[in-house]
Amino acid sequence: MNHEFSELQELLGQTARELFSRDFPLDRMRDGYRTDEGYDTELWPSIVDLGWNSAPFPEEMGGTGGGLFDTVLLLEEMGKGYCVSPYPHSTIAAGLALVEAAPDLAQAIAADEAVVIPALTAADGVTQMASRDGDGAITLTDRRLVVPWVELATHLLVPLPNGDEMAVIEAGADGVRAEEMPSSGGEPLYDVSFEGASGRVVSAAGLQDHVTLLGAIANSVLMLGLCQRSLELASEYSKTRVAFGKPIGTFQAISHKCANMVVDIETGRNLCYKAAWLHSTGQEYEMGARYAKAFMGDATARITRDAIQVHGGVGFIDDHFVQFPYRIGTAAACTYGTAHEHRRAVASAILD
């Protein structure tokens, strides 16, 4: 595996780092989470204006042709800057999965003309009902929970009983109703009901699995950035906070926590980069995606929790930046499969 980034990939990461540090610093992102919207409303338009949505797509769709690996540094910087947005869901999870299943819709995502959000979590006790006609149209009755970014979505992507098929429903279509759900992870979440909503069926081999796995990789890299920021905050605090006449970083209880963070981050970085590289080079990437999401789901909980503990009591204050990696990371760890679900899938693939 070649982890060397190209000049273009490095430039994309550098551009993201400069944008987030200059225009969307941590205090601005923190304040955005406290608004009525729950996020900074200017962040997504800035991402769109920079043309980042086209980056992972084939050249014929206006992209760089480098695939998911082209966006790794960008996603990592998003995590470091607490910059949650529809990008992992629409551009990566839905967009790349739709390149084969619905090229027109993938092209619209790349051209900043569509935001397609997967609505994957079915509500308990609700039976999906769908009627079709011969030209691929569908009328859907269903309910989906914890669907992010519905207010910015143009389309919603809903799984159907056949794992190769999904329904594309316009977010503003008749019969689509969304109610906001509580959220502490920075992303607005919705309970979405489809009551006779009309749309179309798109299909490709393993489409639903591709959406889940691509989303898992994107969220894993996002969590990697969150963990890196947690380490930086903890390390800096341990150098400046003095107790018993010494910086607390000189005490083993603190230094060992920081050392363990480094080990987890570097292990996770290798897994995340490899999963993205496998997809971008056209190789089988399922196990790579599952390894990355399973590891980062657990590691993010450890790292962000330990970073708070290094800060002591101040780490529990809502104003402190060290709080947000824990909140965002906890939500990301539960999206596109939990660590337990991915480990179970790996075990099943090995034992079956």
Side-chain angles (χ1 to χ4, degrees):
M1 177 179 57
N2 181 9
H3 272 181
E4 294 293 326
F5 290 103
S6 68
E7 183 178 347
L8 180 61
Q9 292 162 347
E10 293 278 9
L11 179 61
L12 186 58
Q14 179 183 347
T15 303
R17 185 161 51 251
E18 292 173 353
L19 172 72
F20 298 147
S21 62
R22 182 187 67 243
D23 296 343
F24 298 95
L26 297 186
D27 55 350
R28 174 169 176 171
M29 300 312 298
R30 176 195 61 199
D31 294 343
Y33 295 144
R34 297 172 174 172
T35 63
D36 292 340
E37 293 82 4
Y39 61 94
D40 192 312
T41 57
E42 295 181 16
L43 175 61
W44 179 242
S46 296
I47 291 174
V48 170
D49 288 344
L50 285 166
W52 290 347
N53 282 324
S54 66
F57 289 94
E59 292 181 358
E60 59 269 24
M61 291 184 173
T64 60
L68 177 55
F69 196 63
D70 275 3
T71 66
V72 161
L73 293 179
L74 170 59
L75 288 164
E76 194 172 344
E77 291 299 331
M78 286 182 176
K80 288 178 67 176
Y82 310 165
C83 296
V84 294
S85 73
Y87 195 88
H89 309 285
S90 177
T91 307
I92 306 299
L96 291 181
L98 290 172
V99 167
E100 180 182 352
D104 60 322
L105 196 51
Q107 176 72 68
I109 294 171
D112 303 322
E113 296 170 357
V115 176
V116 182
I117 300 296
L120 303 181
T121 305
D124 290 338
V126 175
T127 301
Q128 184 184 81
M129 295 185 292
S131 60
R132 310 191 191 196
D133 62 24
D135 62 357
I138 189 171
T139 301
L140 185 71
T141 297
D142 199 1
R143 183 183 174 197
R144 298 282 154 166
L145 304 179
V146 292
V147 183
W149 302 107
V150 173
E151 74 274 30
L152 297 181
T154 59
H155 300 79
L156 300 172
L157 197 59
V158 185
L160 296 173
N162 183 339
D164 295 339
E165 297 180 333
M166 300 186 81
V168 177
I169 309 292
E170 289 189 11
D174 292 339
V176 178
R177 179 171 54 85
E179 294 184 4
E180 193 164 3
M181 300 178 67
S183 169
S184 62
E187 292 188 314
L189 302 175
Y190 290 85
D191 175 347
V192 182
S193 297
F194 303 90
E195 300 169 357
S198 298
R200 65 165 169 149
V201 177
V202 296
S203 62
L207 176 58
Q208 293 180 29
D209 285 342
H210 284 302
V211 171
T212 299
L213 295 172
L214 287 164
I217 296 173
N219 265 14
S220 296
V221 179
L222 188 79
M223 288 189 286
L224 177 65
L226 292 167
C227 291
Q228 184 66 46
R229 179 64 74 184
S230 293
L231 171 62
E232 291 172 2
L233 291 171
S235 177
E236 182 62 28
Y237 186 77
S238 71
K239 295 174 184 177
T240 57
R241 175 69 167 91
V242 175
F244 306 106
K246 297 180 180 179
I248 62 173
T250 62
F251 300 115
Q252 286 187 347
I254 301 298
S255 60
H256 284 183
K257 282 187 184 295
C258 292
N260 289 337
M261 291 182 203
V262 173
V263 173
D264 276 346
I265 287 171
E266 291 309 312
T267 303
R269 176 171 284 113
N270 183 65
L271 291 171
C272 291
Y273 286 8
K274 183 172 183 179
W277 177 80
L278 287 171
H279 179 270
S280 295
T281 53
Q283 301 182 61
E284 173 55 48
Y285 71 99
E286 178 182 356
M287 290 299 103
R290 295 195 186 281
Y291 294 155
K293 188 60 160 62
F295 183 84
M296 287 308 305
D298 287 341
T300 299
R302 290 193 298 269
I303 292 169
T304 57
R305 182 182 61 238
D306 284 351
I308 292 174
Q309 290 181 354
V310 167
H311 284 75
V314 73
F316 291 88
I317 297 175
D318 189 52
D319 275 351
H320 205 288
F321 297 141
V322 78
Q323 280 268 325
F324 292 94
Y326 181 83
R327 296 182 185 179
I328 299 170
T330 299
C334 297
T335 309
Y336 300 109
T338 63
H340 173 73
E341 290 168 340
H342 284 289
R343 281 196 297 269
R344 185 173 59 189
V346 171
S348 297
I350 294 172
L351 298 175
D352 289 349

Tab-separated table of all heavy atoms in Angstrom, residues 238-259:
chain	number	residue	atom	x	y	z
A	238	SER	N	-1.196	19.456	29.261
A	238	SER	CA	-0.316	18.770	30.205
A	238	SER	C	1.036	19.466	30.334
A	238	SER	O	1.742	19.278	31.324
A	238	SER	CB	-0.113	17.315	29.770
A	238	SER	OG	0.689	17.241	28.604
A	239	LYS	N	1.395	20.291	29.353
A	239	LYS	CA	2.659	21.026	29.418
A	239	LYS	C	2.538	22.326	30.203
A	239	LYS	O	3.531	22.830	30.727
A	239	LYS	CB	3.149	21.340	28.001
A	239	LYS	CG	3.509	20.122	27.170
A	239	LYS	CD	3.842	20.535	25.743
A	239	LYS	CE	4.116	19.332	24.861
A	239	LYS	NZ	4.365	19.722	23.443
A	240	THR	N	1.339	22.883	30.259
A	240	THR	CA	1.153	24.197	30.884
A	240	THR	C	0.487	24.139	32.253
A	240	THR	O	0.638	25.062	33.050
A	240	THR	CB	0.319	25.102	29.963
A	240	THR	OG1	-0.937	24.475	29.686
A	240	THR	CG2	1.041	25.343	28.638
A	241	ARG	N	-0.267	23.086	32.514
A	241	ARG	CA	-0.936	22.946	33.819
A	241	ARG	C	0.070	22.426	34.835
A	241	ARG	O	0.696	21.385	34.640
A	241	ARG	CB	-2.115	21.974	33.700
A	241	ARG	CG	-2.806	21.671	35.027
A	241	ARG	CD	-3.561	22.899	35.550
A	241	ARG	NE	-4.464	22.525	36.629
A	241	ARG	CZ	-4.149	22.516	37.919
A	241	ARG	NH1	-2.909	22.857	38.307
A	241	ARG	NH2	-5.034	22.175	38.822
A	242	VAL	N	0.257	23.171	35.911
A	242	VAL	CA	1.247	22.833	36.931
A	242	VAL	C	0.544	22.343	38.191
A	242	VAL	O	-0.436	22.941	38.651
A	242	VAL	CB	2.134	24.051	37.262
A	242	VAL	CG1	3.077	23.740	38.415
A	242	VAL	CG2	2.923	24.467	36.024
A	243	ALA	N	1.016	21.218	38.709
A	243	ALA	CA	0.524	20.691	39.985
A	243	ALA	C	1.723	20.178	40.781
A	243	ALA	O	2.628	19.548	40.220
A	243	ALA	CB	-0.480	19.561	39.747
A	244	PHE	N	1.738	20.481	42.061
A	244	PHE	CA	2.851	20.090	42.935
A	244	PHE	C	4.185	20.598	42.396
A	244	PHE	O	5.219	19.940	42.500
A	244	PHE	CB	2.898	18.563	43.107
A	244	PHE	CG	1.608	17.973	43.584
A	244	PHE	CD1	0.806	17.261	42.704
A	244	PHE	CD2	1.192	18.153	44.892
A	244	PHE	CE1	-0.389	16.727	43.130
A	244	PHE	CE2	-0.007	17.615	45.327
A	244	PHE	CZ	-0.807	16.900	44.444
A	245	GLY	N	4.137	21.761	41.751
A	245	GLY	CA	5.346	22.400	41.272
A	245	GLY	C	5.881	21.872	39.957
A	245	GLY	O	6.963	22.276	39.522
A	246	LYS	N	5.124	20.981	39.304
A	246	LYS	CA	5.583	20.403	38.040
A	246	LYS	C	4.456	20.411	37.015
A	246	LYS	O	3.287	20.301	37.377
A	246	LYS	CB	6.051	18.954	38.248
A	246	LYS	CG	7.227	18.766	39.165
A	246	LYS	CD	7.564	17.283	39.263
A	246	LYS	CE	8.741	17.026	40.173
A	246	LYS	NZ	9.041	15.569	40.261
A	247	PRO	N	4.790	20.497	35.711
A	247	PRO	CA	3.757	20.295	34.695
A	247	PRO	C	3.167	18.893	34.843
A	247	PRO	O	3.911	17.924	35.066
A	247	PRO	CB	4.519	20.434	33.374
A	247	PRO	CG	5.746	21.203	33.711
A	247	PRO	CD	6.104	20.820	35.112
A	248	ILE	N	1.856	18.776	34.737
A	248	ILE	CA	1.231	17.472	34.986
A	248	ILE	C	1.656	16.428	33.954
A	248	ILE	O	1.537	15.218	34.205
A	248	ILE	CB	-0.307	17.588	35.016
A	248	ILE	CG1	-0.846	18.072	33.658
A	248	ILE	CG2	-0.751	18.486	36.146
A	248	ILE	CD1	-2.364	18.034	33.574
A	249	GLY	N	2.173	16.872	32.807
A	249	GLY	CA	2.642	15.927	31.813
A	249	GLY	C	3.855	15.128	32.250
A	249	GLY	O	4.189	14.113	31.625
A	250	THR	N	4.527	15.550	33.320
A	250	THR	CA	5.684	14.806	33.818
A	250	THR	C	5.269	13.619	34.686
A	250	THR	O	6.109	12.770	34.996
A	250	THR	CB	6.609	15.724	34.643
A	250	THR	OG1	5.889	16.220	35.785
A	250	THR	CG2	7.098	16.890	33.791
A	251	PHE	N	4.007	13.566	35.075
A	251	PHE	CA	3.524	12.445	35.888
A	251	PHE	C	3.102	11.286	34.982
A	251	PHE	O	2.454	11.485	33.952
A	251	PHE	CB	2.353	12.879	36.762
A	251	PHE	CG	2.706	13.991	37.714
A	251	PHE	CD1	2.117	15.234	37.596
A	251	PHE	CD2	3.635	13.788	38.721
A	251	PHE	CE1	2.440	16.269	38.461
A	251	PHE	CE2	3.966	14.823	39.595
A	251	PHE	CZ	3.377	16.066	39.468
A	252	GLN	N	3.450	10.076	35.368
A	252	GLN	CA	3.192	8.921	34.528
A	252	GLN	C	1.705	8.727	34.233
A	252	GLN	O	1.343	8.279	33.135
A	252	GLN	CB	3.752	7.659	35.175
A	252	GLN	CG	5.273	7.564	35.112
A	252	GLN	CD	5.788	6.236	35.600
A	252	GLN	OE1	5.048	5.466	36.216
A	252	GLN	NE2	7.056	5.950	35.347
A	253	ALA	N	0.856	9.029	35.172
A	253	ALA	CA	-0.584	8.834	34.960
A	253	ALA	C	-1.076	9.645	33.767
A	253	ALA	O	-2.007	9.214	33.056
A	253	ALA	CB	-1.362	9.232	36.216
A	254	ILE	N	-0.455	10.807	33.538
A	254	ILE	CA	-0.830	11.654	32.404
A	254	ILE	C	-0.047	11.282	31.158
A	254	ILE	O	-0.609	11.133	30.065
A	254	ILE	CB	-0.597	13.147	32.752
A	254	ILE	CG1	-1.421	13.549	33.978
A	254	ILE	CG2	-0.945	14.019	31.546
A	254	ILE	CD1	-2.917	13.417	33.802
A	255	SER	N	1.259	11.131	31.287
A	255	SER	CA	2.088	10.849	30.105
A	255	SER	C	1.707	9.517	29.469
A	255	SER	O	1.750	9.379	28.236
A	255	SER	CB	3.564	10.863	30.478
A	255	SER	OG	3.866	9.881	31.456
A	256	HIS	N	1.325	8.532	30.293
A	256	HIS	CA	0.928	7.238	29.730
A	256	HIS	C	-0.378	7.348	28.943
A	256	HIS	O	-0.544	6.681	27.914
A	256	HIS	CB	0.789	6.200	30.846
A	256	HIS	CG	2.106	5.708	31.360
A	256	HIS	ND1	2.229	4.725	32.322
A	256	HIS	CD2	3.381	6.075	31.047
A	256	HIS	CE1	3.501	4.504	32.570
A	256	HIS	NE2	4.221	5.319	31.821
A	257	LYS	N	-1.287	8.173	29.424
A	257	LYS	CA	-2.530	8.382	28.669
A	257	LYS	C	-2.226	8.983	27.292
A	257	LYS	O	-2.762	8.539	26.279
A	257	LYS	CB	-3.482	9.305	29.443
A	257	LYS	CG	-4.239	8.646	30.579
A	257	LYS	CD	-5.276	9.591	31.157
A	257	LYS	CE	-5.986	8.983	32.359
A	257	LYS	NZ	-6.783	7.796	31.981
A	258	CYS	N	-1.372	9.986	27.274
A	258	CYS	CA	-1.029	10.627	25.999
A	258	CYS	C	-0.290	9.665	25.072
A	258	CYS	O	-0.526	9.654	23.853
A	258	CYS	CB	-0.185	11.881	26.251
A	258	CYS	SG	-1.098	13.214	27.074
A	259	ALA	N	0.579	8.850	25.644
A	259	ALA	CA	1.300	7.868	24.831
A	259	ALA	C	0.341	6.851	24.223
A	259	ALA	O	0.465	6.470	23.051
A	259	ALA	CB	2.357	7.162	25.677
